[in-house]
Amino acid sequence: MSDELIAALKAALIGAKREAGLEATQALLDQGVDPVIILEEGMAKAMLELGAMWTRGEVFLPEVVASATLFKRCNDLVEPALLASGQSKKGALVLTATVKGDLHDLGKNMVGAMLKTAGFQVHDLGKDVPVQTIVEAVRDMQPAIVGLSALLTTTVPVQREVIKALVAADLRDKVIVMVGGAPVTEEWAKEIGADGFAPDAPEAVRIALALTGAA
Ligand code: B1M
């Protein structure tokens, strides 16, 4: 039954069918399905499929915008359940940001929500965040981790710029840098000197716990 609902949620997200999407999300929550499964197996996979359809010219920008809007609505339903399933202790601070030039924030927000569930404090700097804003926030807020998301091949290099700017500001050895986003790879993370990479939100939590010694 929950497989059918996951399929219904994916279809609704891909087709930007608001009522059907919200109903499927609520039904999955009512059945007690793990919010992480709803987010990763349902919502994130739907967006991946939508991206492939977009590449093939089967959908266009306005349809993707509508699906992204519905994604946020479904996320608003799932997030309280996700947070309720987490720890209440106040853990290390994580700053999250989508780098300059990039407006994709659905994945970053999922990572932030799952980090909160694991007990981290998360401060989100938002999307399209300039390099120097990130550096200043690291200086001022002294987070344990700064997490950089990038979804475009043109903005992935900004992750390297942030690391260089942290070095120049004498802050690199004071903060753990994690990178992610669909085009980001382990090899890229190593090449730019990041401390951690994760392909999805649950893995981001595992890596963050390991890197902060909280695992
Ligand atoms: Co855009 N877009 N988009 N888009 N978009 C992609 C990325 C694209 C691959 C689609 C395609 O062509 N198939 C393509 C990029 C191609 C490339 O770079 N080579 C693309 C393009 C071209 C564009 C525009 C340029 C289109 C245009 O205007 N002509 C434009 C760029 C705007 C800009 O940023 N300046 C654009 C705009 C948009 C929308 C606004 C319509 C919308 C974003 C809405 C929003 O985010 N608020 C959008 C969407 C929705 C997508 C796709 C379809 C889905 C992205 C998404 O939300 N996925 C995307 C297709 C794709 O990715 N294959 C596409 C779901 C999300 C949960 O996954 O973000 O990967 P993801 O996050 C995952 C992991 O990556 C990881 O955990 C998350 C959860 O599992 N993760 C981290 C993410 N950040 C992490 C950080 C970490 C660790 C893990 O540590 C800190």
Side-chain angles (χ1 to χ4, degrees):
M1 183 60 189
S2 70
D3 283 353
E4 280 169 32
L5 282 173
I6 288 279
L9 172 58
K10 285 169 72 179
L13 274 168
I14 290 167
K17 306 276 185 236
R18 191 175 179 279
E19 291 311 315
L22 296 177
E23 268 172 38
T25 307
Q26 192 57 55
L28 284 159
L29 289 169
D30 292 345
Q31 283 195 7
V33 174
D34 183 348
V36 176
I37 301 284
I38 304 175
L39 287 166
E40 287 292 340
E41 296 305 315
M43 293 167 56
K45 288 204 172 153
M47 298 312 277
L48 209 60
E49 239 171 278
L50 183 70
M53 291 168 72
W54 194 6
T55 306
R56 295 196 296 267
E58 292 165 17
V59 291
F60 299 97
L61 191 59
E63 290 150 294
V64 180
V65 172
S67 292
T69 305
L70 178 56
F71 184 105
K72 289 201 170 180
R73 298 249 158 75
C74 295
N75 194 51
D76 289 344
L77 287 179
V78 179
E79 209 168 291
L82 181 73
L83 295 179
S85 69
Q87 305 173 17
S88 56
K89 72 178 170 78
K90 287 224 162 178
L93 176 64
V94 183
L95 288 186
T96 54
T98 301
V99 298
K100 181 73 191 158
D102 201 320
L103 302 174
H104 297 84
D105 64 354
L106 306 182
K108 165 186 67 67
N109 296 346
M110 267 175 64
V111 170
M114 286 194 205
L115 285 169
K116 280 186 202 160
T117 308
F120 288 95
Q121 298 179 66
V122 177
H123 182 90
D124 181 28
L125 298 172
K127 55 192 171 184
D128 192 17
V129 185
V131 172
Q132 277 312 316
T133 305
I134 297 171
V135 171
E136 279 154 31
V138 168
R139 182 185 291 116
D140 294 347
M141 301 179 77
Q142 301 177 7
I145 300 179
V146 60
L148 307 171
S149 190
L151 265 287
L152 298 170
T153 46
T154 49
T155 58
V156 168
V158 182
Q159 294 179 333
R160 191 204 300 262
E161 284 178 37
V162 173
I163 292 181
K164 283 187 176 168
L166 287 170
V167 172
D170 206 14
L171 289 167
R172 178 65 189 94
D173 57 353
K174 297 182 178 65
V175 68
I176 293 164
V177 179
M178 282 181 62
V179 292
V184 178
T185 61
E186 182 89 58
E187 291 68 38
W188 169 253
K190 282 200 181 115
E191 186 186 321
I192 65 173
D195 302 297
F197 155 77
D200 57 35
E203 186 63 13
V205 170
R206 277 190 288 278
I207 302 280
L209 287 169
L211 288 171
T212 53

